[in-house]
Amino acid sequence: MKIVLIQPLTNFIEQAYGVKQKVRFGHAPPLGLGYVASLLENDGHEVRILDACAMELTHDETIDVMEDFKPDVAGLTVLTNYKRFAKELAAAIKRRMPHVAVVLGGAHATYFHAEILDDMPGVDHVLYGEVDTVVRDYVRHLRDPDKLHSLKGLVYRNSKGKAVVNPRADILESLDDVPMPAWHLYDFSLYRPLPLQYRRLPFFTMITSRGCWWQRCKFCFQSGGCAMKYRRNSPGRVADEVEILYHRYGIREIAFWDDTFIMNLGWLKNFTGLLKEKNLDVTWTASGRANTMNEEIIRTIHDAGCWSMFIGVESGCQELLDVIDKGITLEQARKVFAAASKVGIETRGAFMLGLPGETPRMGRKTIDFAVALDPTYAIFYATHPRFGTQLYDIAQRTGKLIDKDFRGMSKVTYVPDAYRDARELENLIRSAYLRFYLRPRYILKTLLRMRSLTTAVEIVKGFLLFLGLSATRSRRRSAEEA
């Protein structure tokens, strides 16, 4: 069969940063589609990956490309944040190509599979959970309803049009058994990170684990009943993937997108040792937790090419960290940021304002803590209790939920009891950015980092993006006041 795997168009930049103008960077390759493509190609199918998001294709333009390929199956991947776009694209495909089977997968399918077929009439089937063990059988049995409808991980409509949810698909215990992504199906020229989030090009992303090691943060889908069993590739498998990307595709920087990559000193020493043994001159970035790192770990990864790490701090109030079961202490955060600064790794700290139980005073305490940690970059998000998480249940009992649907990280959808209204929280978030980035010390440090024209250009681009964010918020406030 001919199968096209699609990343639909989204409004990522607007949702994440509140900037409405087109920004031709910030796209990351849809790795999940690459794994599925590899499995299907091994089964003899002709597969294409169509990243309509990175290519900035409208729904009609996406279908124009599909018509040239003439697929039998269209597989869409979608995050809950962008479900509207997948719904619109599925409907458009059915109008113009009614013979094409439309199947939906991805994180949204995993967590909200039971409601998708009712919400999205253009979708024929949903595959939820880890589809590695079922996607080949799905295509093999697509024309045989009896066999198809017995598959685990499938949601389908019965003869009365009612959604039927089959048991969750089995998982693979060893991730090393999963074929490497079909890298040859990607257009590597499409992928360039946001300013200041990379040092070298060409750039690509990798995932070395599934699930989350901690699985308790109440704001995350990876906790509670939605938690996925944590597994990780072996250091050797990951080093082999890096080697292929380096030699065959010329990749010189990698972003590891694991929820928590920087953990387990033994694993990291094995992996970084293999990078050096294979003489792979790559720079890379990754995420870690304040309770999974120490100076030895940070020095180990820095010596192997890691130049930046992302750390979710969330709050400067220990009582709020305990409420969301973050599992870290303020002292751990202080030690990690200090160690990173000492070693020379850039840090990106993320902070949530407007957590349940937070007061404006506590919000300002979080801003004070961010300033004291002095990361290279700080991100201040409005707290978004996502429907289906434990935090959403807490938010229903305290504070005010303005909208259960995610409307973007730059928009307030929940207001704690101690805040007057959404505007007060929005003003606090804006003041957080201004206070953090307009400090004389921070400005001086930024100027000292401009040691090359390339760095200077990236800093200017990042500043312009920040200005776009601030201007968009100002326009929104003005419109509300009018």
Side-chain angles (χ1 to χ4, degrees), residues 132-150:
D132 311 80
T133 56
V134 298
V135 67
R136 287 176 292 185
D137 284 337
Y138 170 78
V139 176
R140 290 169 185 164
H141 304 319
L142 188 58
R143 310 305 183 200
D144 186 343
D146 290 337
K147 291 183 178 179
L148 178 69
H149 293 168
S150 67

Side-chain angles (χ1 to χ4, degrees), residues 441-456:
R441 178 185 175 188
Y442 185 84
I443 293 171
L444 178 60
K445 282 174 46 178
T446 302
L447 291 173
L448 291 175
R449 287 172 45 231
M450 293 188 183
R451 297 174 182 174
S452 69
L453 178 60
T454 301
T455 302

Side-chain angles (χ1 to χ4, degrees), residues 44 89 106 215 237 346 464 473:
L89 178 58
Q215 293 187 344
R237 160 64 184 257
E346 290 190 1
L464 291 174
R473 284 179 174 160

Side-chain angles (χ1 to χ4, degrees), residues 181-197:
W183 291 304
H184 59 283
L185 297 180
Y186 292 100
D187 179 352
F188 286 82
S189 67
L190 295 173
Y191 305 111
R192 178 168 179 155
L194 290 167
L196 306 174
Q197 294 190 9

Side-chain angles (χ1 to χ4, degrees), residues 301-465:
I301 62 176
H302 176 263
D303 292 344
C306 179
W307 65 273
S308 177
M309 58 188 191
F310 178 90
I311 306 167
V313 182
E314 321 311 355
S315 178
C317 302
Q318 188 63 52
E319 56 265 47
L320 292 179
L321 291 176
D322 295 340
V323 165
I324 61 175
D325 209 356
K326 180 67 180 178
I328 67 171
T329 66
L330 300 181
E331 185 57 27
Q332 287 173 330
R334 291 188 188 98
K335 288 181 178 179
V336 165
F337 280 86
S341 178
K342 178 181 178 181
V343 170
I345 288 185
E346 290 190 1
T347 49
R348 301 170 190 275
F351 304 86
M352 300 168 68
L353 292 171
L355 284 164
E358 182 182 287
T359 66
R361 182 190 64 80
M362 296 168 82
R364 290 189 292 271
K365 187 175 178 181
T366 292
I367 300 170
D368 291 341
F369 190 62
V371 171
L373 291 179
D374 197 28
T376 314
Y377 305 100
I379 308 167
F380 299 94
Y381 291 133
T383 297
H384 293 279
R386 309 289 183 90
F387 180 72
T389 64
Q390 296 177 68
L391 189 65
Y392 183 85
D393 296 335
I394 295 172
Q396 286 186 305
R397 300 192 298 267
T398 176
K400 180 181 179 182
L401 274 166
I402 299 173
D403 189 345
K404 80 171 185 178
D405 290 327
F406 180 80
R407 298 187 297 154
M409 299 305 293
S410 65
K411 299 178 182 179
V412 171
T413 58
Y414 168 77
V415 181
D417 286 325
Y419 285 83
R420 291 190 302 272
D421 51 29
R423 186 175 304 170
E424 183 180 14
L425 182 53
E426 286 182 345
N427 287 338
L428 183 67
I429 294 170
R430 183 171 183 271
S431 70
Y433 278 108
L434 294 174
R435 183 173 171 214
F436 185 89
Y437 285 103
L438 295 185
R439 292 173 291 146
R441 178 185 175 188
Y442 185 84
I443 293 171
L444 178 60
K445 282 174 46 178
T446 302
L447 291 173
L448 291 175
R449 287 172 45 231
M450 293 188 183
R451 297 174 182 174
S452 69
L453 178 60
T454 301
T455 302
V457 169
E458 288 299 304
I459 288 175
V460 170
K461 286 180 180 177
F463 181 65
L464 291 174
L465 187 64

